[in-house]
């Protein structure tokens, strides 16, 4: 077999994290010539570079520097710039992780150049086409040649949509791989001391989904819910999108007045993991944090009407409240009241997200696929 050229396309924070285990293995494999193409969708230090540093990842070979814009602008800019790069690099395979605009733009560009595509985290569905990520993952899955699913439910979703069984490989979730690999380093961070927090006395809150933070009423509901939780310390790392909206609505002023709320800038991976692990509970709209809370056995409240990680709901580790102030407050009270039983239940749950070896399985499939093309 000749060494094969694989181009990995990423650009947003969660994609860097979920690609890390794949990058470690692919860049060490003598049969794989890996090129990392960063779209530049995220560009602030806290949203991208910090993860390359913390996770010891090689620098991207190219940065397309597309930056922010409307969905069409961002997607189109990536496609225009990526087409040239892929035309020059001529990879044997393009790998796209997750469900961001960078994922979709990568898949659309590659499929039109007739380059085979492998999608990492295929088959996740919230069945809510108002979410940009749902559009991105559905279209990406239907352009892909190889689909790596994290769970059985994701595999079933693809089969329901008529995707051929022979294209689907249920490998487990690379986000679980990276969590297991990085947990010792996460444990060593001093974020609890730094923020003056005692384990299991605080709630970690995140919000960044457009349906929550770009909608003034929903943002207000979430802010009012955490303001009224006065008995609980709240740690709130604020995503740039959310920061903008908090300023616009002046809700930042309300939050800053509250003694029990600690507003911080977006955190690194290790610090986030340590905070999730030691939190009494998590309130989030992030897909990744719902899973991380599940693996770290911390109760999770999801401020969305639906989730693609339905497994966490079915097992009773996570619940959906939407951006509903009363429901969030009630759920927090319920978790605190039944803390002991909930924690016992969390300790004994099966893990539907694989065995922490997803990236190795992905590499094996990719190599045998490319061997056949030779
Ligand atoms: C994107 C992904 C989402 C993922 C999230 C994680 C899509 C459609 N959404 O959402 O799935 O969960 O990343 O963060 O791809 N901004 C900065 N600095 C940055 C990046 C963004 O200031 O480094 C600001 C910009 O003003 C931008 C806004 O944040 O307009 C939103 O960024 P964008 O990439 O459009 O989407 P996210 O909300 O980050």
């Amino acid at each position: 077999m000749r060494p094969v050229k694989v181009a990995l396309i990423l650009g947003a924070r969660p994609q860097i994290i979920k690609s890390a285990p794949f990058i470690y293995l692919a860049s060490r494999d003598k049969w794989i010539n890996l090129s990392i193409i960063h779209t530049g969708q995220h560009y602030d230090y806290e949203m991208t570079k910090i993860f390359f540093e913390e996770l010891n990842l090689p620098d991207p070979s190219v940065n397309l520097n597309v930056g922010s814009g409307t969905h069409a602008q961002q997607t189109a800019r990536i496609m225009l710039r990526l087409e040239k790069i892929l035309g020059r690099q001529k990879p044997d395979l393009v790998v796209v992780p997750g469900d961001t605009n960078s994922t979709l733009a990568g898949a659309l560009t590659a499929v039109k150049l007739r380059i085979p595509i492998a999608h990492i985290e295929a088959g996740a569905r919230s069945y809510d086409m108002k979410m940009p990520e749902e559009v991105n993952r559905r279209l990406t899955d239907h352009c892909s040649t190889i689909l790596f699913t994290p769970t059985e439910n994701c595999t079933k979703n693809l089969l329901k949509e008529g995707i051929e069984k022979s294209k689907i490989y249920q490998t487990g979730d690379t986000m679980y791989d990276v969590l297991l690999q990085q947990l010792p380093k996460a444990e060593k961070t001093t974020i609890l001391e730094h923020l003056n927090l005692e384990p299991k006395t605080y709630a970690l809150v995140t919000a960044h989904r457009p349906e929550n933070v770009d909608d003034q009423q929903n943002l207000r509901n979430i802010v009012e819910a955490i303001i009224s939780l006065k008995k609980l310390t709240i740690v709130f790392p604020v995503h740039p999108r959310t920061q903008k909206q908090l300023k616009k609505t002046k809700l930042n002023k309300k939050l800053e007045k509250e003694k029990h709320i600690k507003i911080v800038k977006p955190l690194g991976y290790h610090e986030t993991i340590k905070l999730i692990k030691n939190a009494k509970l998590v309130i989030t709209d992030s897909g990744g944090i719902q899973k991380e809370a599940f693996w770290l056995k911390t109760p999770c409240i999801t401020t969305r009407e639906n989730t693609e990680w339905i497994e966490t709901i079915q097992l009773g580790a996570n619940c959906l409240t939407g951006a509903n102030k009363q429901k969030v407050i009630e759920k927090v009270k319920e978790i605190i009241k039944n803390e002991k039983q909930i924690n016992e239940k969390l300790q004994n749950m099966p893990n539907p997200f694989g065995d922490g070896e997803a990236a190795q399985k992905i590499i094996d499939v990719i190599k045998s696929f490319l061997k056949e093309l030779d």
Side-chain angles (χ1 to χ4, degrees), residues 11-15 40-48 67-71 74 99-103 132-133 136 208-210 213 239-242 244 286-288:
R13 177 170 67 176
Q15 293 183 294
Q41 174 172 350
H42 284 172
Y43 42 86
D44 284 349
Y45 175 80
E46 294 85 11
M47 297 299 287
T48 167
S68 307
T70 65
H71 286 276
Q74 202 171 50
D99 57 11
T100 71
N101 289 343
S102 297
T103 314
E133 293 79 6
N136 292 342
H208 79 276
R209 302 230 87 84
V213 304
H239 185 285
R241 173 191 281 279
T242 315
K244 244 194 230 166
S286 149

Side-chain angles (χ1 to χ4, degrees), residues 194-214:
H194 182 66
L195 293 176
N196 201 9
L197 296 166
E198 288 297 326
K200 302 291 163 189
T201 60
Y202 64 91
L204 177 69
V205 175
T206 79
H208 79 276
R209 302 230 87 84
E211 69 267 27
N212 277 341
V213 304
D214 296 356

Side-chain angles (χ1 to χ4, degrees), residues 116-350:
I117 301 160
H119 184 202
I120 298 182
E121 204 182 77
R125 295 289 182 271
S126 63
Y127 295 102
D128 178 1
M129 286 295 268
K130 293 194 294 304
M131 275 180 78
E133 293 79 6
E134 180 74 2
V135 177
N136 292 342
R137 50 194 172 225
R138 284 204 202 189
L139 298 180
T140 301
D141 282 340
H142 285 265
C143 292
S144 293
T145 326
I146 317 176
L147 298 99
F148 295 116
T149 57
T151 66
E152 192 181 342
N153 184 54
C154 294
T155 303
K156 284 186 183 154
N157 290 339
L158 294 178
L159 293 173
K160 261 191 274 172
E161 288 173 22
I163 291 183
E164 292 143 63
K165 207 173 170 192
S166 60
K167 289 178 161 186
I168 307 170
Y169 297 86
Q170 192 176 309
T171 53
D173 198 321
T174 57
M175 283 191 80
Y176 184 50
D177 296 16
V178 71
L179 178 86
L180 294 181
Q181 292 162 7
Q182 300 294 326
L183 197 52
K185 282 196 183 151
E187 297 280 18
K188 287 200 189 109
T189 68
T190 53
I191 187 73
L192 296 188
E193 292 83 342
H194 182 66
L195 293 176
N196 201 9
L197 296 166
E198 288 297 326
K200 302 291 163 189
T201 60
Y202 64 91
L204 177 69
V205 175
T206 79
H208 79 276
R209 302 230 87 84
E211 69 267 27
N212 277 341
V213 304
D214 296 356
D215 178 314
Q216 291 205 5
Q217 190 54 50
N218 284 349
L219 183 62
R220 191 172 299 279
N221 290 347
I222 294 173
V223 165
E224 285 178 0
I226 62 173
I227 286 179
S228 65
L229 295 169
K230 299 228 192 280
K231 286 197 194 132
L232 206 56
T233 301
I234 305 277
V235 183
F236 187 7
V238 181
H239 185 285
R241 173 191 281 279
T242 315
Q243 181 62 31
K244 244 194 230 166
Q245 297 301 333
L246 286 173
K247 270 200 185 139
K248 204 164 130 190
T249 52
K250 302 208 167 59
L251 285 165
N252 59 332
K253 296 268 176 263
K254 274 183 113 178
L255 283 169
E256 283 157 17
K257 270 196 245 149
E258 296 296 329
K259 289 209 178 63
H260 69 294
I261 300 179
K262 294 176 194 274
I263 305 276
V264 292
K265 54 183 181 79
L267 297 168
Y269 180 69
H270 293 138
E271 291 181 337
T272 305
I273 293 300
K274 176 117 184 214
L275 280 177
I276 299 173
K277 183 159 188 256
N278 289 285
K280 197 185 226 1
L281 57 100
V282 165
I283 303 174
T284 190
D285 61 9
S286 149
I289 292 179
Q290 290 173 59
K291 294 188 286 184
E292 286 159 349
F294 174 77
W295 294 320
L296 295 166
K297 306 188 184 301
T298 299
C300 184
I301 295 172
T302 298
T303 49
R304 285 171 48 187
E305 301 293 341
N306 48 54
T307 177
E308 51 287 0
W309 304 117
I310 193 75
E311 301 82 352
T312 61
I313 305 283
Q314 286 164 346
L315 287 164
N318 184 11
C319 63
L320 297 172
T321 57
N324 181 315
K325 179 181 162 186
Q326 271 326 315
K327 279 196 192 164
V328 172
I329 295 170
E330 272 162 34
K331 277 290 166 194
V332 169
K333 285 188 181 153
E334 200 180 305
I335 290 172
I336 293 175
K337 191 166 156 235
N338 303 310
E339 198 169 2
K340 210 164 157 249
Q341 297 97 295
I342 293 174
N343 283 334
E344 265 166 34
K345 200 168 138 193
L346 283 169
Q347 294 302 328
N348 297 312
M349 272 179 194

Side-chain angles (χ1 to χ4, degrees), residues 10-51:
L10 45 72
R13 177 170 67 176
Q15 293 183 294
I16 305 165
I17 297 164
K18 64 188 70 160
S19 298
F22 173 79
I23 297 174
Y24 299 141
L25 295 173
S27 50
R28 264 195 266 129
D29 195 302
K30 63 178 178 182
W31 298 110
I32 296 179
N33 191 343
L34 178 71
S35 154
I36 303 173
I37 302 177
H38 195 312
T39 63
Q41 174 172 350
H42 284 172
Y43 42 86
D44 284 349
Y45 175 80
E46 294 85 11
M47 297 299 287
T48 167
K49 185 94 173 100
I50 188 172
F51 301 102

Side-chain angles (χ1 to χ4, degrees), residues 1-4 29 31-32 366-368 370-372 374:
M1 180 180 159
R2 69 179 165 90
V4 289
D29 195 302
W31 298 110
I32 296 179
I366 285 179
K367 276 165 73 177
S368 70
L370 291 170
K371 215 174 189 172
E372 271 171 35
D374 227 7

